[in-house]
Amino acid sequence: MNGSSERRVLSGMRPTGRLHLGHYHGVLKNWVRLQHEYECFFFVADWHALTTHYDDVSIIERSVWEMVVDWLAAGVDPQHCSIFIQSRMPQHAELHVLLSMITPLGWLEQVPTYKDQQEKLKERDLATYGFLGYPLLQSADILLYRAGWVPVGADQVAHVELTREVARRFNHLFGREPGFAEAVDAAMQGMGKKNARLYAELRKRYQEQGDQDALSTAQALVRDHSSMTLGDKERLLGALKGSGKIILPEPQALLTTEERMPGLDGQKMSKSYGNTITLRDTPDEVVKKIRLMPTDPARIRLIDAGNPDLCPVWKLHEIYSDDRTKQWVQGGCRSAGMGCLDCKKPVMDAVIAELEPMRSRASYYESNPDILHTIVSEGCGRARELAEDTLDEVRSAMGLNYR
Ligand code: TRP
Ligand code: SF4
């Protein structure tokens, strides 16, 4: 990774329309935190939606905008990150096609989601080129921005792993520009005499003795150099490991503690189970949904003692309630000292309070579509600059920058 890519985060989401609390607790809360710590790019992966739902294109547009509004509602802040839409950026397609030239078919066939999804979505015909290639499209999404970090769920780690392999192969094949050794020498001179000597010494220690500390010290020396061009940094970093120039840095999955949001029935919250609370549910809707939640089936009457471990409402307390409330639930439930409706009340209040600011932000953006469109255009603009920089280097490494 070079200096700036270490600070850069990229993640995408397929447009699924309105989002729910599962998306918020599992993904968006994390994005909201990351936007203050990294240079973040979040994009709508609308082409990815087509890889499985190419026969159902009428819903894409609405789903895209509903989802962007929900991102903003959740607190993803265009002042602190860039939001863009994949299909506005043809650069993803160009990098995808170029990477496809060097990607062995076996690598794609071995991605676990390939067979899993075909199994799962049996009713769809997924024996398509686009579906096989979609993890590589994801690699292009990531490498196009030279993102160092990719926040993803566990199911997507294999895709980041594929991306690392593709980047490695690319750098190996195309990182050897003519005159590489001379360019490295020149870059070393640019570091100043003392640093150049230190770099050479550390490189030797790493290459001859496999000294990992020497490697990290040398990497830091290069990265932290204040006046060196990005290209020279990449050359010096590449030369450390004995590869060529690192054109596409390898990203890492940013696995965050995934909060598994329970749904209204105690299963994982998911649209397909019909057990969701959406980010835009009104207080009335929240009350109604939680009131209807099933509880421990043993508690038929108020005088029947219950067991919170068997109750979906308890799972919500675990997310929303403080210790005192939790003790109150445990005691009241097990001793049949309180009714289920009383027990549900603090959860209702907490969810309503959590959604309050989201609903108001969502309604702001819904009634100001111009602002929404501007946010996305600006995000696309920032994304485009990075994407074009990468593609310039990729094209020239692949012998395509002639006129
Ligand atoms: N494939 C991801 C998913 O289904 C979405 C995605 C597409 C993505 N491109 C990406 C995520 C790049 C992270 C980085 O959830
Ligand atoms: Fe569930 Fe609370 Fe009723 Fe116990 S009292 S069964 S935890 S809703």
mmCIF file of all heavy atoms in Angstrom, residues 60-85:
data_model
loop_
_atom_site.group_PDB
_atom_site.id
_atom_site.type_symbol
_atom_site.label_atom_id
_atom_site.label_comp_id
_atom_site.label_asym_id
_atom_site.label_seq_id
_atom_site.Cartn_x
_atom_site.Cartn_y
_atom_site.Cartn_z
ATOM 1 N N ILE A 60 -34.508 -0.562 -10.520
ATOM 2 C CA ILE A 60 -33.165 -0.093 -10.150
ATOM 3 C C ILE A 60 -33.164 1.378 -9.750
ATOM 4 O O ILE A 60 -32.684 1.738 -8.674
ATOM 5 C CB ILE A 60 -32.164 -0.326 -11.298
ATOM 6 C CG1 ILE A 60 -31.909 -1.824 -11.434
ATOM 7 C CG2 ILE A 60 -30.843 0.401 -11.016
ATOM 8 C CD1 ILE A 60 -30.867 -2.188 -12.447
ATOM 9 N N GLU A 61 -33.725 2.219 -10.598
ATOM 10 C CA GLU A 61 -33.621 3.658 -10.350
ATOM 11 C C GLU A 61 -34.171 4.022 -8.967
ATOM 12 O O GLU A 61 -33.521 4.709 -8.191
ATOM 13 C CB GLU A 61 -34.365 4.432 -11.437
ATOM 14 C CG GLU A 61 -34.275 5.926 -11.216
ATOM 15 C CD GLU A 61 -34.911 6.740 -12.345
ATOM 16 O OE1 GLU A 61 -35.438 6.131 -13.306
ATOM 17 O OE2 GLU A 61 -34.886 7.976 -12.241
ATOM 18 N N ARG A 62 -35.379 3.536 -8.691
ATOM 19 C CA ARG A 62 -35.969 3.879 -7.401
ATOM 20 C C ARG A 62 -35.155 3.329 -6.242
ATOM 21 O O ARG A 62 -34.913 4.003 -5.244
ATOM 22 C CB ARG A 62 -37.402 3.341 -7.334
ATOM 23 C CG ARG A 62 -38.333 4.381 -6.737
ATOM 24 C CD ARG A 62 -39.745 3.870 -6.620
ATOM 25 N NE ARG A 62 -39.976 3.279 -5.330
ATOM 26 C CZ ARG A 62 -40.873 2.322 -5.102
ATOM 27 N NH1 ARG A 62 -41.587 1.826 -6.097
ATOM 28 N NH2 ARG A 62 -41.061 1.874 -3.890
ATOM 29 N N SER A 63 -34.696 2.090 -6.412
ATOM 30 C CA SER A 63 -33.922 1.478 -5.327
ATOM 31 C C SER A 63 -32.649 2.267 -5.042
ATOM 32 O O SER A 63 -32.238 2.399 -3.895
ATOM 33 C CB SER A 63 -33.515 0.050 -5.690
ATOM 34 O OG SER A 63 -34.628 -0.684 -6.067
ATOM 35 N N VAL A 64 -32.019 2.766 -6.101
ATOM 36 C CA VAL A 64 -30.775 3.518 -5.932
ATOM 37 C C VAL A 64 -31.029 4.755 -5.084
ATOM 38 O O VAL A 64 -30.353 4.994 -4.079
ATOM 39 C CB VAL A 64 -30.173 3.914 -7.297
ATOM 40 C CG1 VAL A 64 -29.070 4.954 -7.113
ATOM 41 C CG2 VAL A 64 -29.650 2.685 -8.025
ATOM 42 N N TRP A 65 -32.024 5.532 -5.461
ATOM 43 C CA TRP A 65 -32.231 6.800 -4.744
ATOM 44 C C TRP A 65 -32.746 6.567 -3.334
ATOM 45 O O TRP A 65 -32.371 7.265 -2.400
ATOM 46 C CB TRP A 65 -33.156 7.732 -5.540
ATOM 47 C CG TRP A 65 -32.466 8.200 -6.783
ATOM 48 C CD1 TRP A 65 -32.789 7.910 -8.079
ATOM 49 C CD2 TRP A 65 -31.270 9.005 -6.852
ATOM 50 N NE1 TRP A 65 -31.893 8.472 -8.949
ATOM 51 C CE2 TRP A 65 -30.952 9.153 -8.224
ATOM 52 C CE3 TRP A 65 -30.437 9.604 -5.907
ATOM 53 C CZ2 TRP A 65 -29.844 9.890 -8.670
ATOM 54 C CZ3 TRP A 65 -29.332 10.332 -6.341
ATOM 55 C CH2 TRP A 65 -29.049 10.470 -7.707
ATOM 56 N N GLU A 66 -33.610 5.569 -3.176
ATOM 57 C CA GLU A 66 -34.076 5.273 -1.818
ATOM 58 C C GLU A 66 -32.911 4.883 -0.923
ATOM 59 O O GLU A 66 -32.847 5.274 0.252
ATOM 60 C CB GLU A 66 -35.098 4.132 -1.844
ATOM 61 C CG GLU A 66 -36.471 4.607 -2.267
ATOM 62 C CD GLU A 66 -37.513 3.497 -2.240
ATOM 63 O OE1 GLU A 66 -37.128 2.304 -2.111
ATOM 64 O OE2 GLU A 66 -38.698 3.816 -2.368
ATOM 65 N N MET A 67 -31.987 4.133 -1.505
ATOM 66 C CA MET A 67 -30.861 3.689 -0.687
ATOM 67 C C MET A 67 -29.940 4.850 -0.337
ATOM 68 O O MET A 67 -29.478 4.970 0.806
ATOM 69 C CB MET A 67 -30.087 2.572 -1.390
ATOM 70 C CG MET A 67 -29.057 1.941 -0.484
ATOM 71 S SD MET A 67 -28.323 0.455 -1.170
ATOM 72 C CE MET A 67 -27.144 1.164 -2.299
ATOM 73 N N VAL A 68 -29.676 5.720 -1.300
ATOM 74 C CA VAL A 68 -28.801 6.864 -1.005
ATOM 75 C C VAL A 68 -29.438 7.746 0.070
ATOM 76 O O VAL A 68 -28.760 8.208 0.995
ATOM 77 C CB VAL A 68 -28.479 7.660 -2.288
ATOM 78 C CG1 VAL A 68 -27.701 8.927 -1.933
ATOM 79 C CG2 VAL A 68 -27.681 6.817 -3.264
ATOM 80 N N VAL A 69 -30.738 7.970 -0.044
ATOM 81 C CA VAL A 69 -31.423 8.757 0.987
ATOM 82 C C VAL A 69 -31.247 8.081 2.353
ATOM 83 O O VAL A 69 -30.977 8.742 3.358
ATOM 84 C CB VAL A 69 -32.921 8.941 0.650
ATOM 85 C CG1 VAL A 69 -33.688 9.469 1.861
ATOM 86 C CG2 VAL A 69 -33.092 9.889 -0.531
ATOM 87 N N ASP A 70 -31.356 6.771 2.390
ATOM 88 C CA ASP A 70 -31.206 6.080 3.676
ATOM 89 C C ASP A 70 -29.775 6.147 4.205
ATOM 90 O O ASP A 70 -29.566 6.206 5.417
ATOM 91 C CB ASP A 70 -31.693 4.628 3.566
ATOM 92 C CG ASP A 70 -33.215 4.543 3.700
ATOM 93 O OD1 ASP A 70 -33.832 5.566 4.046
ATOM 94 O OD2 ASP A 70 -33.779 3.461 3.460
ATOM 95 N N TRP A 71 -28.795 6.123 3.324
ATOM 96 C CA TRP A 71 -27.406 6.310 3.787
ATOM 97 C C TRP A 71 -27.293 7.663 4.495
ATOM 98 O O TRP A 71 -26.730 7.765 5.583
ATOM 99 C CB TRP A 71 -26.417 6.315 2.611
ATOM 100 C CG TRP A 71 -26.179 4.993 1.970
ATOM 101 C CD1 TRP A 71 -26.742 3.801 2.318
ATOM 102 C CD2 TRP A 71 -25.305 4.734 0.861
ATOM 103 N NE1 TRP A 71 -26.271 2.814 1.477
ATOM 104 C CE2 TRP A 71 -25.403 3.354 0.586
ATOM 105 C CE3 TRP A 71 -24.467 5.514 0.069
ATOM 106 C CZ2 TRP A 71 -24.669 2.749 -0.441
ATOM 107 C CZ3 TRP A 71 -23.743 4.928 -0.952
ATOM 108 C CH2 TRP A 71 -23.844 3.552 -1.203
ATOM 109 N N LEU A 72 -27.807 8.675 3.814
ATOM 110 C CA LEU A 72 -27.718 10.029 4.381
ATOM 111 C C LEU A 72 -28.510 10.110 5.678
ATOM 112 O O LEU A 72 -28.082 10.730 6.655
ATOM 113 C CB LEU A 72 -28.228 11.058 3.370
ATOM 114 C CG LEU A 72 -27.392 11.155 2.082
ATOM 115 C CD1 LEU A 72 -28.169 11.882 0.988
ATOM 116 C CD2 LEU A 72 -26.070 11.856 2.341
ATOM 117 N N ALA A 73 -29.659 9.456 5.676
ATOM 118 C CA ALA A 73 -30.490 9.454 6.874
ATOM 119 C C ALA A 73 -29.723 8.847 8.049
ATOM 120 O O ALA A 73 -29.779 9.336 9.170
ATOM 121 C CB ALA A 73 -31.775 8.662 6.619
ATOM 122 N N ALA A 74 -28.968 7.809 7.765
ATOM 123 C CA ALA A 74 -28.239 7.114 8.827
ATOM 124 C C ALA A 74 -27.051 7.918 9.339
ATOM 125 O O ALA A 74 -26.441 7.548 10.339
ATOM 126 C CB ALA A 74 -27.761 5.754 8.327
ATOM 127 N N GLY A 75 -26.707 8.978 8.626
ATOM 128 C CA GLY A 75 -25.604 9.814 9.107
ATOM 129 C C GLY A 75 -24.355 9.759 8.244
ATOM 130 O O GLY A 75 -23.336 10.346 8.584
ATOM 131 N N VAL A 76 -24.420 9.048 7.124
ATOM 132 C CA VAL A 76 -23.323 9.133 6.159
ATOM 133 C C VAL A 76 -23.346 10.573 5.650
ATOM 134 O O VAL A 76 -24.382 11.060 5.206
ATOM 135 C CB VAL A 76 -23.523 8.118 5.007
ATOM 136 C CG1 VAL A 76 -22.458 8.295 3.956
ATOM 137 C CG2 VAL A 76 -23.516 6.698 5.556
ATOM 138 N N ASP A 77 -22.199 11.249 5.783
ATOM 139 C CA ASP A 77 -22.198 12.702 5.668
ATOM 140 C C ASP A 77 -21.335 13.147 4.482
ATOM 141 O O ASP A 77 -20.116 12.967 4.498
ATOM 142 C CB ASP A 77 -21.645 13.280 6.982
ATOM 143 C CG ASP A 77 -21.635 14.801 6.967
ATOM 144 O OD1 ASP A 77 -21.885 15.402 5.911
ATOM 145 O OD2 ASP A 77 -21.346 15.368 8.041
ATOM 146 N N PRO A 78 -21.976 13.721 3.464
ATOM 147 C CA PRO A 78 -21.231 14.111 2.268
ATOM 148 C C PRO A 78 -20.142 15.149 2.527
ATOM 149 O O PRO A 78 -19.290 15.361 1.661
ATOM 150 C CB PRO A 78 -22.315 14.678 1.340
ATOM 151 C CG PRO A 78 -23.489 14.953 2.204
ATOM 152 C CD PRO A 78 -23.405 14.033 3.369
ATOM 153 N N GLN A 79 -20.149 15.762 3.703
ATOM 154 C CA GLN A 79 -19.042 16.660 4.055
ATOM 155 C C GLN A 79 -17.793 15.849 4.424
ATOM 156 O O GLN A 79 -16.697 16.380 4.470
ATOM 157 C CB GLN A 79 -19.385 17.515 5.288
ATOM 158 C CG GLN A 79 -20.635 18.350 5.164
ATOM 159 C CD GLN A 79 -20.411 19.566 4.292
ATOM 160 O OE1 GLN A 79 -19.292 20.043 4.150
ATOM 161 N NE2 GLN A 79 -21.480 20.053 3.691
ATOM 162 N N HIS A 80 -17.999 14.587 4.755
ATOM 163 C CA HIS A 80 -16.887 13.791 5.252
ATOM 164 C C HIS A 80 -16.568 12.575 4.394
ATOM 165 O O HIS A 80 -15.703 11.783 4.739
ATOM 166 C CB HIS A 80 -17.180 13.313 6.680
ATOM 167 C CG HIS A 80 -17.195 14.435 7.676
ATOM 168 N ND1 HIS A 80 -16.060 15.027 8.148
ATOM 169 C CD2 HIS A 80 -18.217 15.095 8.248
ATOM 170 C CE1 HIS A 80 -16.375 15.991 8.982
ATOM 171 N NE2 HIS A 80 -17.686 16.051 9.060
ATOM 172 N N CYS A 81 -17.314 12.365 3.315
ATOM 173 C CA CYS A 81 -17.022 11.218 2.463
ATOM 174 C C CYS A 81 -17.560 11.499 1.073
ATOM 175 O O CYS A 81 -18.217 12.515 0.860
ATOM 176 C CB CYS A 81 -17.672 9.953 3.031
ATOM 177 S SG CYS A 81 -19.476 9.988 2.920
ATOM 178 N N SER A 82 -17.262 10.620 0.138
ATOM 179 C CA SER A 82 -17.786 10.786 -1.223
ATOM 180 C C SER A 82 -18.752 9.655 -1.522
ATOM 181 O O SER A 82 -18.449 8.490 -1.265
ATOM 182 C CB SER A 82 -16.641 10.763 -2.231
ATOM 183 O OG SER A 82 -15.709 11.775 -1.934
ATOM 184 N N ILE A 83 -19.900 10.038 -2.050
ATOM 185 C CA ILE A 83 -20.934 9.062 -2.393
ATOM 186 C C ILE A 83 -21.101 9.081 -3.909
ATOM 187 O O ILE A 83 -21.246 10.151 -4.495
ATOM 188 C CB ILE A 83 -22.272 9.457 -1.734
ATOM 189 C CG1 ILE A 83 -22.153 9.380 -0.203
ATOM 190 C CG2 ILE A 83 -23.415 8.578 -2.242
ATOM 191 C CD1 ILE A 83 -23.392 9.891 0.528
ATOM 192 N N PHE A 84 -21.026 7.919 -4.533
ATOM 193 C CA PHE A 84 -21.209 7.915 -5.988
ATOM 194 C C PHE A 84 -21.912 6.651 -6.461
ATOM 195 O O PHE A 84 -22.191 5.745 -5.676
ATOM 196 C CB PHE A 84 -19.872 8.123 -6.720
ATOM 197 C CG PHE A 84 -18.886 6.997 -6.568
ATOM 198 C CD1 PHE A 84 -18.829 5.972 -7.508
ATOM 199 C CD2 PHE A 84 -18.002 6.956 -5.503
ATOM 200 C CE1 PHE A 84 -17.908 4.939 -7.388
ATOM 201 C CE2 PHE A 84 -17.076 5.929 -5.368
ATOM 202 C CZ PHE A 84 -17.034 4.917 -6.314
ATOM 203 N N ILE A 85 -22.234 6.649 -7.735
ATOM 204 C CA ILE A 85 -22.973 5.525 -8.325
ATOM 205 C C ILE A 85 -22.093 4.845 -9.373
ATOM 206 O O ILE A 85 -21.530 5.508 -10.248
ATOM 207 C CB ILE A 85 -24.287 6.030 -8.955
ATOM 208 C CG1 ILE A 85 -25.190 6.637 -7.869
ATOM 209 C CG2 ILE A 85 -25.012 4.909 -9.703
ATOM 210 C CD1 ILE A 85 -26.458 7.281 -8.404
#
